[in-house]
Amino acid sequence: MSTTSTQAPHGPTKLRLLELLAAIGTAQWRDFAAAAARYGLTSTQARVLAQLEGPVPMRGLATLLVCDASNVTGIVDRLEARELVRREPSAVDRRVKNVVATDAGRDIIRRVREEMQATHGALDALDEAERATLYALLERLRPSMERDDAS
């Protein structure tokens, strides 16, 4: 008789983990988009603001957003009209235009993140040790999940 039937069940399959990550990612994105809309931003405009921790070339934004550079121009134009970003020439190559968040842009994306109630509520269900464990696990996954844009 096989002993496998009496052993504890195996952990979740990779497919189940992927489905769970996708469901959580979708819910977080929906929460982000709803919070952004309260500030008159599209989810893509808010995503651009979220990427601007420092100057980012227009072409770099297109890569991060996985879209054509011409699409980024319109997005940045609308953010610039609201004085949430500004364009400035690159110090390395003056032909390259970097996008930089203004103080108002940094403030609005901070408020969007703070107002993501569904996401905050879900994380509140975890105690401090569980949040630390989740953070450590996600940090381990992150490098292999993100494309290295420096290469």
Side-chain angles (χ1 to χ4, degrees), residues 58-59 62 67-78 87:
M58 294 282 285
R59 211 168 274 296
C67 71
D68 191 75
S70 62
N71 294 343
V72 173
T73 300
I75 295 164
V76 171
D77 285 347
R78 288 184 284 285
R87 289 179 176 97

Side-chain angles (χ1 to χ4, degrees), residues 141-149:
L141 290 176
R142 186 177 188 169
S144 62
M145 298 290 293
E146 291 182 336
R147 183 176 58 215
D148 183 7
D149 293 324

Side-chain angles (χ1 to χ4, degrees), residues 19-34:
E19 289 169 348
L20 184 57
L21 283 171
I24 290 169
T26 298
Q28 185 271 339
W29 180 250
R30 191 172 31 246
D31 195 23
F32 180 77

Side-chain angles (χ1 to χ4, degrees), residues 6-48:
T6 60
Q7 292 178 351
H10 294 300
T13 64
K14 286 181 186 177
L15 179 59
R16 302 248 356 230
L17 287 170
L18 289 172
E19 289 169 348
L20 184 57
L21 283 171
I24 290 169
T26 298
Q28 185 271 339
W29 180 250
R30 191 172 31 246
D31 195 23
F32 180 77
R38 289 192 287 275
Y39 291 93
L41 295 171
T42 67
S43 56
T44 303
Q45 289 170 337
R47 189 166 171 219
V48 166

